[in-house]
């Protein structure tokens, strides 16, 4: 049984429990456990969450939330190609301009993760052609998968807001806060 199988079994046995890096490393016996976790998440659809996804987890803590697996929508591209696309796109989401570690605009407790996205999904005949690949942040990627994605207008405005100085972002934030507080 390989390291990935042992790590998978360990998570399944402890579904819903917080596991630490030390425990995972002890079970998997590999230093590259992070890559195994990514494979279980991205290639097999296991909903393994970390502090990047959940504010209540500390760095080095992981949890398999449910035994239900997410459909793996798009096959992942090779690490080399992934790096090439990330570099080409300047490690920035091509829809909203978010970079790694920026807060998720739709869920401020989380930070965004960068994905290499197939513009035309594999399921619809899209390929790994460089022209069909682009960097998306997890928020935009998720939005793409949801039935009601945020409008292009909202994404364009978010992209503009990201480029503004902090003081102007604060003005916009205050405006929206006032607006929604009065409406409640
Ligand atoms: Zn984005």
């Amino acid at each position: 049984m390989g390291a990935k199988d042992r790590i998978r079994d360990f998570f399944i046995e402890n579904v819903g429990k917080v596991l630490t890096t030390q425990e995972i490393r002890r079970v998997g016996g590999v230093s590259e456990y992070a890559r195994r976790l990514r494979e279980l998440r991205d290639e097999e659809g296991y909903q393994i969450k970390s502090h990047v996804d959940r504010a209540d987890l500390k760095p080095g803590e992981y949890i398999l939330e449910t035994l239900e697996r997410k459909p793996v929508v798009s096959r992942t591209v090779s690490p080399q190609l992934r790096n090439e696309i990330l570099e080409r796109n300047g490690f920035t989401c091509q829809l909203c301009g978010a970079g790694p570690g920026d807060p998720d605009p739709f869920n401020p407790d989380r930070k965004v993760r960068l994905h290499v996205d197939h513009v035309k999904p594999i399921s619809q005949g899209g390929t790994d052609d460089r022209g069909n690949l682009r960097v998306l942040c997890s928020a935009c990627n998720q939005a793409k998968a949801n039935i009601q994605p945020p409008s292009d207008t909202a994404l364009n405005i978010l992209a503009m807001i990201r480029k503004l100085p902090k003081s102007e972002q604060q003005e916009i934030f205050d405006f929206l806060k006032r607006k929604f507080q009065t409406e409640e």
Side-chain angles (χ1 to χ4, degrees), residues 6-7 10 20-30 33:
R6 290 199 301 271
I7 294 176
F10 184 53
T20 64
T21 302
Q22 288 86 341
E23 292 171 314
I24 299 164
R25 220 185 251 153
R26 200 166 58 224
V27 169
V30 275
Y33 70 93

Side-chain angles (χ1 to χ4, degrees), residues 161 164 167-177:
I161 293 173
L164 293 174
S167 59
E168 290 178 12
Q169 290 179 343
Q170 185 72 51
E171 277 179 48
I172 293 165
F173 175 72
D174 291 340
F175 162 75
L176 288 173
K177 212 166 84 175

Side-chain angles (χ1 to χ4, degrees), residues 92-98 105-106 112 114 135-141 155 162:
T92 338
C93 172
Q94 297 304 291
L95 281 181
C96 73
F106 304 110
V112 298
L114 294 182
V135 172
L136 283 193
C137 73
S138 38
C140 292
N141 200 37
L155 287 170
R162 280 178 192 286

